[in-house]
Amino acid sequence: MSKTHHHKSKRKKLSTKYNIQKKVREHKRRLKKEAKKMGVKKGRKKDPGIPNSWPFKAQMLQELEVKKEKKEKEIQQKRQDAKQKNETDRQLHEEEKRAANKEREAARRRKRLEQIEQSRLDHLRLVITRADVLLQVLDARDPQGCRCAAVEAYAQENGRKIIFVLTKADLVAPQAVAQWIKALGSEAPTVAVQAEAGREGIRELLAMLGRTPPHKGKDAPAADAAVVSPAQAVAAFGFPNTGKKALCRALRQEFRAPAKWLLEMIGRLQPGVNAASSSPATLHLVVRGAAPAGLLASGGATAAADALDEDTEEPKAEPFFAAADAEPLPLAVVKLLLERVDTASLMRRFRLPSFDGAEGFLRSFAKDRNITSKRGKEAALEIIARRFLAELPVTPGVCCAPFQVPRPGAAVLWPPHGTAVPMLEAAMRSQVEALAAREAGPLAGALVVPSVGMGPEVDISALLTEAVDDGDNDEAMDDESDDEDEEEEEEDGESDGEGAESSGDMDDEA
C-alpha cells in the first residue's frame, strides 16, 4: 500500500491577508518618512535622450535649447514685472497714506486754529465786558501803533477805566519813555514798566489800581491806596508780542498775595489780514522786533510766517508779502522807512556813506556788510532788504517819536477815574521825573522813526452783539425757569385743595 502525502494548503483567511497588506503599507510608509527626513530622494529614471540614429538630431537639440532659453527669459521677465508691480503698488500705497495723513493733519490743524480763534474771541469778549479796569498793554518802542481805537471807544461809551501800560521800557531810552508818558498821559493814565527786568514800575501800577502790596518797613506808604478805590476786576489786553502775559505774571509776583481781582483771561487783539499785510503795519512790527520769520528769512520764500506769539504760542497766520503785481513787501517797508526817517541819522546809525534812493542805500548796506549771493555775485535787493530789516531792531535799536500835538478828543478816558485823577497824575509826574534824570546809555543812539499812527482796526461789534445775545438768552432762561416754578406751585396748590375736599367728604360720610 502506497503512502499518501497531504500537502498543506496555501490558502489564508482574508483577515490575515488584509493584515499583511496593512503591515506592508505601514512599513513602506515608515521607509518613505525616514528617507524624507534624511533627504534621500527617489531615483528618477534617466532620460535616455535622443538616439544618435535619430535624423536631424543636431537641429532638434538646437530648437530645444532655443525653447529653453526663451522659456527662461519669459520666467525672468515675469519675475521682473511682478517685482516692479509690487514696488509701484508699494509706492502708490505710501503716497496715498502720506496724502491721507497730510490731509488729516491739515484738518486737525484747521480745527485747532478754529478752536484757538474761538477761545481768543471768547476771552476778549469776557475781558471787555466784565473788567472794570482795562490795562491796555503797549510796546514802549511804538505805543501809538499798539493802541486799539475800537476798545477805547467802547470804554468811553460805557464808562470803563483804561490805563496805558508801556511794557519793555528797558529797550528804549528813559527820556523817550518819559516823553511818551507825557503824550499819552493827556488822554489816559499811563505808566511804564519793566515786567522782566526787575519789575520796575509794577508797584506804581498796583498803586494806580488801589492794590498796593503790603510793606514790611515802618515807613510804608499807605496814602496812595487810600486815595484810589481798589479795583475789583482788572484785565490786560493788547496786540500780539506786547508782553501781556509777562505783565500779569509780574503783577501777581509783586502783589505777594492771591490776586483774585486780576482776571486769568487775557484779551488778545488780532488785526485783520488786509491791515496786517500793509507796509505801515509791517514797519510797526519791524520797529517792535516782532517781524515774523517769513519776512526776515533769507531764502525769499513767499509762504506765511511760522513765528509764534510769545503770549499765546499761536501761529500768527498773517501774509507778509504784497500782491503779485506789486513789489516785494520788504522793499516796500524799506522805502517807507527811508521816507519817514532822517537820512543823516540813518547814515550815522549804520555807519554808511551817502546814498541815493532806496536801491543805493541797500547796495551801500550790502557792500558794508559783504552780502553776496551763493555764487559771489551781487545779492538781490529783496534779500538785502530782509537782512537790513532783521538788523534794524538790534541794540541800540529803533523807536518811535511821540506825537507833539494832542489828538482831537484827547482826555476822554480820564473822567471814569473820578476822584483818583490827582493821585494818578502825581504818580505819572513822579515817574517822568525819575526817567528824565537817568542816563540814556547805549540806547541814546537808537534810530527815531515817526509813529505810523493808531494800531490796526479791530471789529469788536460782533463780539459785543454776541455778548448782548448771551445776556438776553440768560434772562429768557431765568424767566422760563420762574414761570415753570410758578406753574408747579399752582399745581401743588390745586392738588392740596382737592386733597382737602376729599378728606372733608370722607369725614362727612363717617
Side-chain angles (χ1 to χ4, degrees):
M1 184 175 178
S2 60
K3 295 183 179 178
T4 303
H5 297 279
H6 297 280
H7 298 282
K8 188 175 180 180
S9 177
K10 295 183 179 180
R11 296 181 61 185
K12 300 178 183 178
K13 295 190 298 183
L14 292 179
S15 59
T16 305
K17 176 182 176 180
Y18 295 151
N19 287 337
I20 293 172
Q21 292 178 357
K22 182 179 179 182
K23 290 180 180 179
V24 170
R25 287 197 305 270
E26 291 179 354
H27 176 69
K28 291 182 178 180
R29 184 177 61 81
R30 284 195 298 270
L31 292 179
K32 290 181 180 179
K33 188 174 181 180
E34 292 177 359
K36 186 177 181 181
K37 287 183 179 179
M38 297 174 63
V40 178
K41 296 183 179 179
K42 185 178 180 181
R44 296 181 180 179
K45 293 182 179 181
K46 185 178 179 181
D47 185 9
I50 302 174
N52 294 331
S53 62
W54 187 266
F56 308 107
K57 177 180 179 180
Q59 184 178 357
M60 182 175 290
L61 290 176
Q62 187 177 1
E63 292 177 356
L64 292 176
E65 188 68 22
V66 171
K67 290 182 179 179
K68 183 178 179 181
E69 292 179 356
K70 184 178 180 181
K71 187 175 182 180
E72 290 179 354
K73 289 182 179 179
E74 291 178 356
I75 294 175
Q76 189 68 18
Q77 186 65 29
K78 288 182 179 179
R79 289 178 179 175
Q80 292 180 358
D81 294 343
K83 186 176 181 181
Q84 186 176 1
K85 185 176 180 300
N86 293 336
E87 183 67 19
T88 305
D89 294 343
R90 185 185 65 81
Q91 294 179 358
L92 182 62
H93 177 69
E94 289 182 356
E95 290 179 359
E96 293 178 353
K97 185 177 180 181
R98 195 181 303 110
N101 292 338
K102 188 176 181 180
E103 184 178 357
R104 183 166 56 253
E105 184 68 19
R108 186 191 66 81
R109 190 180 294 107
R110 286 194 300 269
K111 183 178 179 181
R112 175 59 179 165
L113 290 177
E114 292 176 359
Q115 293 176 352
I116 291 175
E117 180 65 14
Q118 186 61 37
S119 175
R120 183 188 68 82
L121 295 176
D122 294 341
H123 287 183
L124 180 60
R125 182 179 68 252
L126 294 176
V127 163
I128 294 177
T129 56
R130 291 186 180 182
D132 57 351
V133 179
L134 296 172
L135 303 180
Q136 188 167 6
V137 184
L138 312 175
D139 195 324
R141 289 168 288 188
D142 187 9
Q144 190 71 6
C146 298
R147 295 177 60 180
C148 180
V151 178
E152 293 180 9
Y154 171 81
Q156 179 182 356
E157 294 175 0
N158 295 271
R160 299 295 176 88
K161 300 177 182 179
I162 282 189
I163 297 178
F164 294 151
V165 183
L166 304 182
T167 57
K168 305 179 183 181
D170 54 322
L171 302 179
V172 184
Q175 291 75 16
V177 178
Q179 294 177 5
W180 270 112
I181 294 177
K182 290 181 180 179
L184 296 175
S186 61
E187 302 184 21
T190 308
V191 62
V193 300
Q194 300 177 16
E196 297 181 351
R199 299 203 296 269
E200 183 178 353
I202 298 297
R203 185 173 292 272
E204 287 79 359
L205 178 57
L206 289 173
M208 289 183 174
L209 298 174
R211 295 288 182 175
T212 305
H215 295 264
K216 297 182 179 181
K218 296 181 179 180
D219 52 349
D224 295 344
V227 174
V228 180
S229 58
Q232 301 303 322
V234 180
F237 74 96
F239 286 102
N241 289 326
T242 52
K244 303 177 291 297
K245 193 173 182 180
L247 174 64
C248 295
R249 181 168 59 248
L251 286 173
R252 292 188 178 92
Q253 292 176 354
E254 187 68 23
F255 190 64
R256 301 174 186 174
K260 297 181 179 179
W261 45 270
L262 182 59
L263 300 182
E264 295 288 343
M265 297 170 292
I266 297 177
R268 297 180 173 90
L269 302 175
Q270 192 71 25
V273 175
N274 295 331
S277 59
S278 62
S279 299
T282 308
L283 177 59
H284 163 74
L285 294 176
V286 172
V287 169
R288 291 174 46 212
L295 178 67
L296 303 182
S298 59
T302 59
D306 294 332
L308 299 178
D309 183 358
E310 67 177 5
D311 295 328
T312 63
E313 295 184 358
E314 305 170 6
K316 294 184 177 179
E318 300 171 353
F320 295 99
F321 289 82
D325 56 346
E327 62 181 346
L329 188 55
L331 292 179
V333 174
V334 172
K335 290 182 179 180
L336 179 61
L337 177 65
L338 294 178
E339 294 174 0
R340 306 180 67 89
V341 75
D342 183 23
T343 304
S345 60
L346 187 63
M347 294 168 54
R348 185 169 54 254
R349 166 72 169 78
F350 292 96
R351 299 179 181 179
L352 299 177
S354 59
F355 55 87
D356 184 15
E359 183 176 355
F361 167 73
L362 292 176
R363 293 301 179 191
S364 178
F365 180 81
K367 183 178 180 180
D368 182 74
R369 300 299 193 273
N370 195 18
I371 302 175
T372 59
S373 64
K374 293 182 178 180
R375 297 182 179 181
K377 299 181 180 180
E378 289 186 355
L381 293 178
E382 183 179 354
I383 304 299
I384 304 173
R386 293 173 184 273
R387 174 70 178 274
F388 167 71
L389 295 178
E391 189 175 338
L392 183 61
V394 179
T395 305
V398 59
C399 63
C400 291
F403 52 87
Q404 302 298 332
V405 181
R407 297 187 311 111
V412 293
L413 301 176
W414 275 102
H417 292 275
T419 57
V421 172
M423 178 267 165
L424 298 177
E425 292 179 345
M428 290 171 52
R429 286 194 299 269
S430 176
Q431 190 174 33
V432 168
E433 293 175 358
L435 291 173
R438 293 182 183 177
E439 295 182 359
L443 297 176
L447 187 65
V448 180
V449 181
S451 179
V452 295
M454 294 285 286
E457 296 182 0
V458 178
D459 185 14
I460 63 172
S461 57
L463 294 176
L464 301 179
T465 304
E466 187 176 354
V468 173
D469 295 340
D470 293 342
D472 295 340
N473 293 335
D474 295 340
E475 293 178 358
M477 293 177 62
D478 295 338
D479 295 339
E480 291 178 359
S481 61
D482 295 339
D483 295 339
E484 292 177 357
D485 295 339
E486 292 178 359
E487 292 177 358
E488 291 179 357
E489 291 178 359
E490 292 178 358
E491 292 177 358
D492 293 340
E494 292 176 358
S495 61
D496 293 340
E498 293 176 357
E501 290 177 0
S502 61
S503 61
D505 296 339
M506 294 177 64
D507 293 340
D508 293 340
E509 291 178 359

